[in-house]
């Protein structure tokens, strides 16, 4: 019973899956770091740099110096493992002509500060739920060009690159760096709006509650009708 706090199992007459939510209070654009780490344009990546996540694609894209309007730096958050692939990625990042800042794995609650001091967030492959954290912090995103990612950036809140093509990834990053301040600010605002209007925890929780209440009422109505026969 939703009024007494008793938990019930509800069979959904029709599938209904509200989207995952995002904590817009913990991951907040208003808390962006006022004084940046330096004049560089910072790209943030959080997570493992495995093959499934496109670790080598990301490392390859940062090997040569970017020919953009500003110096470029990459912030990666995640402790590398000792397997061969991770070591190859680490070695390539060590050879980068750009600034690479490697942060060990952090608690989830600590990740916001790294997004808040960056300018964009990059996902070389298999975009994770970190997408929503980055967007809530006002970061436009760069994603591989697959259908689900096209949907994610339909609000003019990010850009895609040809999947598996590190040169295309470099070009997508440069497109943000060379963008006018006004256009870039529009991407930032759209990123935040996308999360606040579609994925705020409070709103999502209310949608789930509404679904449950409707199903409980439907169940009660059907049971009541059956008892009358």
């Amino acid at each position: 019973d939703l009024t007494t706090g008793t938990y019930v199992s509800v069979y959904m007459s029709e599938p209904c899956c509200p989207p995952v939510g995002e904590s817009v209070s913990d991951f907040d654009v208003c808390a962006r770091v006022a004084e940046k780490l330096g004049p560089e344009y910072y790209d943030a990546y959080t997570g493992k740099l495995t093959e499934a996540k496109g670790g080598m694609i990301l490392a390859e894209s940062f090997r040569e110096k970017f020919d953009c309007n500003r110096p470029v730096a990459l912030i990666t958050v995640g402790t590398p493992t000792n397997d061969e692939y991770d070591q190859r990625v680490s070695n390539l990042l060590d050879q980068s002509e750009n600034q690479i800042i490697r942060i060990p794995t952090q608690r989830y609650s600590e990740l916001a500060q790294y997004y808040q001091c960056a300018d964009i967030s990059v996902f070389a492959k298999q975009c994770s739920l970190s997408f929503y954290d980055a967007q809530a912090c006002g970061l436009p995103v760069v994603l591989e060009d697959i259908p689900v990612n096209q949907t994610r950036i339909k609000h003019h809140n990010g850009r895609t690159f040809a999947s598996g093509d590190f040169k295309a990834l470099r070009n997508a990053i440069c497109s943000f760096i060379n963008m006018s301040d006004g256009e870039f600010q529009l991407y930032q605002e759209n990123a935040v709006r996308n999360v606040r209007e579609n994925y705020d925890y409070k709103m999502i929780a209310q949608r789930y509650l509404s679904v449950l209440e409707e199903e409980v009422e439907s169940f009660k109505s059907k049971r009541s009708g059956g008892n009358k026969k």
Side-chain angles (χ1 to χ4, degrees):
D1 189 317
L2 296 175
T3 59
T4 62
T6 304
Y7 292 94
V8 295
S9 295
V10 180
Y11 170 77
M12 298 296 190
S13 55
E14 295 182 3
C16 181
C17 297
V20 295
E22 173 62 38
S23 175
V24 296
S25 58
D26 294 330
F27 291 82
D28 186 2
V29 66
C30 296
R32 287 183 63 81
V33 176
E35 187 172 341
K36 298 290 292 295
L37 300 174
E40 289 82 7
Y41 192 97
Y42 288 92
D43 303 336
Y45 173 79
T46 60
K48 297 178 180 179
L49 288 168
T50 61
E51 186 171 4
K53 292 295 184 180
M56 286 298 291
I57 299 171
L58 183 65
E60 284 280 6
S61 69
F62 275 84
R63 178 160 60 174
E64 295 181 1
K65 192 173 185 63
F66 279 82
D67 183 19
C68 301
N69 294 339
R70 289 169 56 186
V72 181
L74 172 67
I75 303 172
T76 69
V77 182
T79 303
T81 66
N82 292 322
D83 70 25
E84 181 183 352
Y85 186 89
D86 267 23
Q87 290 305 308
R88 287 168 52 206
V89 171
S90 293
N91 291 340
L92 198 54
L93 288 174
D94 289 341
Q95 298 169 25
S96 176
E97 297 176 1
N98 305 283
Q99 183 182 10
I100 307 294
I101 302 172
R102 305 204 67 179
I103 308 295
T105 300
Q106 304 289 303
R107 293 194 302 270
Y108 178 72
S109 60
E110 300 295 326
L111 292 178
Q113 62 184 316
Y114 299 103
Y115 291 121
Q116 288 158 354
C117 70
D119 297 286
I120 64 173
S121 185
V122 178
F123 298 90
K125 199 173 181 181
Q126 288 190 0
C127 176
S128 67
L129 294 179
S130 298
F131 164 84
Y132 302 101
D133 301 334
Q135 292 265 283
C137 290
L139 300 191
V141 293
V142 176
L143 314 168
E144 62 176 333
D145 189 7
I146 57 176
V148 65
N149 288 341
Q150 289 290 354
T151 301
R152 284 174 169 145
I153 63 164
K154 67 181 181 180
H155 303 288
H156 204 63
N157 50 316
R159 291 190 170 184
T160 60
F161 68 96
S163 183
D165 186 341
F166 75 87
K167 292 182 180 179
L169 174 54
R170 285 176 61 87
N171 291 337
I173 293 171
C174 270
S175 72
F176 276 114
I177 299 171
N178 295 334
M179 196 176 283
S180 69
D181 290 344
E183 185 178 5
F184 184 73
Q185 184 177 352
L186 180 62
Y187 273 91
Q188 290 179 307
E189 291 171 353
N190 288 339
V192 176
R193 186 179 301 111
N194 175 40
V195 172
R196 290 188 174 175
E197 292 183 358
N198 300 300
Y199 301 102
D200 185 356
Y201 273 149
K202 292 181 180 179
M203 178 189 69
I204 298 300
Q206 184 56 54
R207 288 174 64 179
Y208 272 107
L209 183 59
S210 296
V211 170
L212 288 173
E213 288 175 336
E214 289 173 5
E215 290 298 324
V216 168
E217 289 304 315
S218 175
F219 174 76
K220 288 180 178 178
S221 176
K222 290 178 181 177
R223 185 173 63 176
S224 174
N227 291 339
K228 291 179 180 179
K229 292 181 180 181

